[in-house]
Amino acid sequence: MHPVLYTVLQRLGLGLLTLFIVSIIIFSSIALLPGDFGQQVLGQAALPETVEAFRRELGLDKPAWLRYIDWIAAVLQGDLGTSFSGRASSGADASRSVWELVAPRLSNTLFLAGFTALIAVPLSLFLGITAALKRNSIYDRSVNAVTLTTISFPEFFLAYLLIVVLAGIFPTLSNVTPDMSLGDRILKIALPALTMTLVIVAHMMRMTRAALINLLASPYIEMAQLKGASRAKVIIKHALPNAWAPIATVIAFNLAYLVVGVVVVEVVFVYPGIGQLMVDSVSSRDIPVAQACALIFAATYILLNLMADVIGIVTNPRLLHPR
Amino acid sequence: MTEEPQSYSAAGEVGQVRLRRSYGERVWIALKKAPISAWFGMIVIAIYAFVAIFGPFLAPYGEAEVFAKADEPWTMFGGNPAHFFGTDQIGRDVLTRLIYGARNTIGIALVTTLLSFLIGGTLGLVAAINRSWLDQFLSRGVDVLMSIPSLIFALMLLSIFGSSIPSLVMIIAVLDSTRVFRLTRSVAANVVVMDYVEAARLRGEGIGWVMRKEILPNIMPPLVAEFGLRFSFVFLTIASLSFLGLGIQPPTADWGSMVRDGSRFIQFVAYDWTLALPSLLPAGAVALLTVAVNFVVDWFLHKTSGLRDDH
């Protein structure tokens, strides 16, 4: 088998294994709940029969491994279970399916994250590459100093700073609704997108710069310069083939970071996304929703990192042209 | 071959002249060479530490003392001179809450970081020395834990255990110890193979002794730098969780929940920017400390590892 294919398959297998173990961890969290949460969810006044029915619905009368198989099979078919909220002690069941709660918010979050990535990735690659090429210049130093500062700021501080400065221009509440036009939506998410751009550009720019400087210091670049190749040729023909892997890693790492950073930013701007849903479900201890959100976040995170690895392997000249 | 006693030895001569500096003198020399950013960081950290330790003596009022008028502006923006930073939504003095918040937020973050170093450091050292199935087991376990974003994992665990301070400290410490484990294991792995460790084991020292007396002193600098970084990360995580309403719970004063409470009027900031101050002030306090810690760690890393400016 071609070494590239072999390594990629190996990496994919490892990624699937990780996903599998993570799903077990997330699933077993429900088993860690103290005491009888049927009583807790339904309230003190619930009849024993109602509690019993609720327990049977959750499958608590079955062994754990059987419950896991049922759960993962349902998840793979897109059924994430039923929310705990909306259950009454009388046994009346007004609860909604988790997917119904998650779906519209997931698309909102993806819209926000995608829009941020669209601005942040090109901007930070440009800043990182130019800073690495003009190393130790005033430009490099000032970009560096600014990014070191924004990196250490918590997201909510940056968000409120931006609100104070830009409140007159952009709306400070990002309460988007499904029937809004694209232009209105973009205006509404301008401030959260800008906050995340600031955080992520700082990380991404610094990592790109470090990776490139590492690369430009390697002997074969020096060799290419010494043999008289032009600057553009050195970068495009010699540096770039080896730079794809670190750059892909940087981008994927930061997109994964975006997935997490979105939680705080969504809460600041009251954006109806999945991060806010998770926070709400955690504070009301709505475990099925929290589990579903955690699963979505973890899967996105793992898949993005996996993608970076695969890109790194596929573009690696040493693997592409084995001796 | 025996050495002639009269023979000239340059090393010997230098050795005679060389002054033996005390530890304090060496620290002072290092400090004098520190850049302004590091000095700034150290001074800020010292002020925070002072406020955190002597908080109850500095604070003008009690931690949860309620006054008649809620939501008063700062003194300089026309508020009551008795409350320099005004009062919060139920009439507590903001300056007092800020001072007590330093104590609670920094204290909890410090305890969490120490605990995470205790767990991660010990397991990392054991894994580096042991190198058997235990090492494999721990390392793969850490790989899996690290593949879930830690804020998400913390949120999920908090939904199960509830938001009390002990569960907050335990959850974040365990999740953060994975990073400490990785670092400790990788730096200790280079020291474990040294001859003096082998000698210590051969003369029959126990694993605990080898860990403390032979390996730990040699991996201290990267661990100390990591401690600073982990502290600011843990501090930010706790502040973020409290901001989300899932961390430190009222009536305990802390900066994250102060930011949250202060943000009620945030949509009116376009008309009066001082309405952002109740959330900007504690958020700025958080930001200033993390910036200060980062500056000091940056300098310390340069000093101990001889790193140049290119990383």
Side-chain angles (χ1 to χ4, degrees):
Chain A
M1 214 191 308
H2 196 275
V4 171
L5 195 63
Y6 177 73
T7 328
V8 167
L9 284 180
Q10 199 183 23
R11 197 63 200 82
L12 285 177
L14 211 62
L16 281 181
L17 184 71
T18 316
L19 262 180
F20 173 65
I21 298 174
V22 165
S23 75
I24 291 182
I25 294 177
I26 290 176
F27 169 77
S28 55
S29 63
I30 207 165
L32 288 174
L33 274 177
D36 183 10
F37 62 95
Q39 193 81 47
Q40 260 184 25
V41 170
L42 297 174
Q44 287 295 325
L47 294 170
E49 294 83 42
T50 327
V51 176
E52 192 52 42
F54 179 62
R55 288 174 57 101
R56 197 161 319 118
E57 187 197 323
L58 290 174
L60 288 181
D61 50 348
K62 285 186 235 160
W65 60 271
L66 206 63
R67 264 185 290 147
Y68 174 73
I69 292 176
D70 287 348
W71 179 73
I72 198 77
V75 165
L76 287 178
Q77 291 166 25
D79 173 16
L80 292 168
T82 323
S83 162
F84 276 179
S85 65
R87 308 227 185 214
S89 52
S90 61
D93 192 356
S95 58
R96 300 160 69 191
S97 82
V98 174
W99 179 246
E100 217 178 300
L101 290 167
V102 166
R105 287 167 170 257
L106 183 61
S107 65
N108 278 345
T109 294
L110 288 180
F111 180 66
L112 176 61
F115 187 72
T116 309
L118 214 60
I119 309 173
V121 172
L123 181 65
S124 50
L125 286 186
F126 173 76
L127 287 176
I129 292 171
T130 46
L133 291 179
K134 296 199 187 309
R135 202 170 128 201
N136 290 336
S137 63
I138 297 172
Y139 167 72
D140 179 29
R141 274 167 210 222
S142 45
V143 170
N144 240 330
V146 171
T147 50
L148 185 65
T149 325
T150 48
I151 267 184
S152 8
F153 284 171
E155 282 104 346
F156 49 78
F157 182 59
L158 275 177
Y160 288 128
L161 272 186
L162 283 178
I163 286 181
V164 170
V165 179
L166 298 174
I169 308 167
F170 297 114
T172 49
L173 279 183
S174 309
N175 46 349
V176 293
T177 49
D179 47 318
M180 258 179 193
S181 73
L182 186 67
D184 281 349
R185 265 173 179 259
I186 290 179
L187 192 66
K188 281 274 186 192
I189 66 161
L191 278 182
L194 199 58
T195 310
M196 287 203 293
T197 306
L198 276 182
V199 177
I200 207 174
V201 161
H203 275 116
M204 223 190 293
M205 176 261 151
R206 288 178 77 83
M207 285 165 73
T208 315
R209 178 178 174 276
L212 270 189
I213 283 176
N214 232 339
L215 199 69
L216 291 177
S218 47
Y220 67 87
I221 297 289
E222 197 178 0
M223 176 67 204
Q225 279 165 345
L226 288 177
K227 81 181 183 199
S230 72
R231 200 173 162 76
K233 206 168 177 187
V234 169
I235 290 169
I236 292 169
K237 271 199 77 176
H238 297 268
L240 212 52
N242 279 302
W244 286 125
I247 288 179
T249 316
V250 169
I251 293 177
F253 180 85
N254 282 287
L255 291 185
Y257 179 85
L258 195 64
V259 170
V260 184
V262 95
V263 177
V264 173
V265 175
E266 275 179 8
V267 172
V268 171
F269 293 99
V270 205
Y271 184 74
I274 194 169
Q276 184 152 49
L277 179 68
M278 179 159 189
V279 172
D280 290 345
S281 66
V282 169
S283 50
S284 62
R285 301 185 82 172
D286 191 349
I287 312 285
V289 179
Q291 266 185 338
C293 295
L295 198 63
I296 290 171
F297 276 124
T300 321
Y301 193 76
I302 293 171
L303 288 178
L304 281 171
N305 279 321
L306 191 63
M307 213 156 73
D309 280 354
V310 170
I311 292 176
I313 295 165
V314 170
T315 57
N316 188 340
R318 281 198 196 111
L319 282 173
L320 277 180
H321 312 290
R323 258 182 281 182
Chain B
M1 197 175 90
T2 52
E3 190 100 351
E4 292 284 297
Q6 302 96 322
S7 73
Y8 174 74
S9 150
E13 192 173 311
V14 172
Q16 278 171 359
V17 184
R18 203 184 74 182
L19 281 170
R20 188 83 187 140
R21 292 199 179 100
S22 74
Y23 183 73
E25 278 172 325
R26 273 180 288 149
V27 169
W28 178 239
I29 286 172
L31 280 180
K32 268 201 293 196
K33 281 194 255 169
I36 303 170
S37 62
W39 267 108
F40 167 77
M42 282 184 283
I43 291 170
V44 170
I45 292 173
I47 294 172
Y48 272 71
F50 179 79
V51 171
I53 294 168
F54 298 105
F57 304 105
L58 299 172
Y61 307 105
E63 183 174 358
E65 207 176 326
V66 179
F67 294 91
K69 200 158 176 287
D71 287 319
E72 257 191 282
W74 289 18
T75 305
M76 65 181 83
F77 297 115
N80 185 346
H83 304 294
F84 186 72
F85 286 139
T87 52
D88 68 2
Q89 78 277 12
I90 57 169
R92 292 171 298 195
D93 182 58
V94 171
L95 179 62
T96 308
R97 299 288 286 172
L98 209 57
I99 290 171
Y100 275 99
R103 196 186 178 83
N104 298 331
T105 317
I106 298 174
I108 290 172
L110 203 60
V111 170
T112 311
T113 319
L114 285 173
L115 192 63
S116 97
F117 266 76
L118 196 67
I119 301 170
T122 315
L123 290 181
L125 280 177
V126 169
I129 297 174
N130 189 296
R131 284 292 161 134
S132 60
W133 61 269
L134 185 69
D135 178 25
Q136 278 299 320
F137 176 75
L138 288 173
S139 299
R140 295 294 82 76
V142 162
D143 283 350
V144 171
L145 284 188
M146 282 178 78
S147 69
I148 308 177
S150 60
L151 186 66
I152 302 298
F153 208 168
L155 281 177
M156 204 188 71
L157 291 177
L158 280 175
S159 76
I160 293 157
F161 296 112
S163 306
S164 65
I165 289 178
S167 64
L168 189 71
V169 168
M170 274 310 294
I171 288 170
I172 296 177
V174 168
L175 292 181
D176 212 55
S177 67
T178 54
R179 269 84 178 166
V180 182
F181 171 85
R182 275 232 176 136
L183 181 84
T184 315
R185 187 182 163 280
S186 70
V187 285
N190 295 328
V191 177
V192 168
V193 292
M194 294 285 179
D195 287 341
Y196 56 82
V197 178
E198 178 95 37
R201 303 214 55 180
L202 282 178
R203 70 174 184 258
E205 306 289 3
I207 189 167
W209 199 91
V210 173
M211 265 161 62
R212 271 185 300 116
K213 299 277 174 173
E214 303 285 347
I215 300 174
L216 201 55
N218 289 296
I219 60 170
M220 234 18 206
L223 282 190
V224 170
E226 184 70 7
F227 187 85
L229 289 180
R230 296 299 0 139
F231 171 77
S232 62
F233 187 80
V234 166
F235 180 66
L236 276 183
T237 310
I238 291 180
S240 302
L241 284 173
S242 302
F243 170 73
L244 298 175
L246 303 165
I248 303 166
Q249 300 294 323
T252 311
D254 92 295
W255 292 340
S257 27
M258 283 176 75
V259 177
R260 177 190 180 80
D261 294 339
S263 68
R264 285 169 308 130
F265 300 121
I266 209 76
Q267 61 267 47
F268 307 115
V269 167
Y271 313 107
D272 178 10
W273 73 275
T274 55
L275 286 175
L277 285 175
S279 34
L280 265 186
L281 187 70
V286 172
L288 186 61
L289 182 60
T290 42
V291 171
V293 171
N294 274 350
F295 277 160
V296 175
V297 169
D298 222 37
W299 165 69
F300 187 80
L301 271 178
H302 274 255
K303 237 188 77 55
T304 52
S305 64
L307 276 182
R308 288 151 307 161
D309 268 322
D310 47 28
H311 281 289

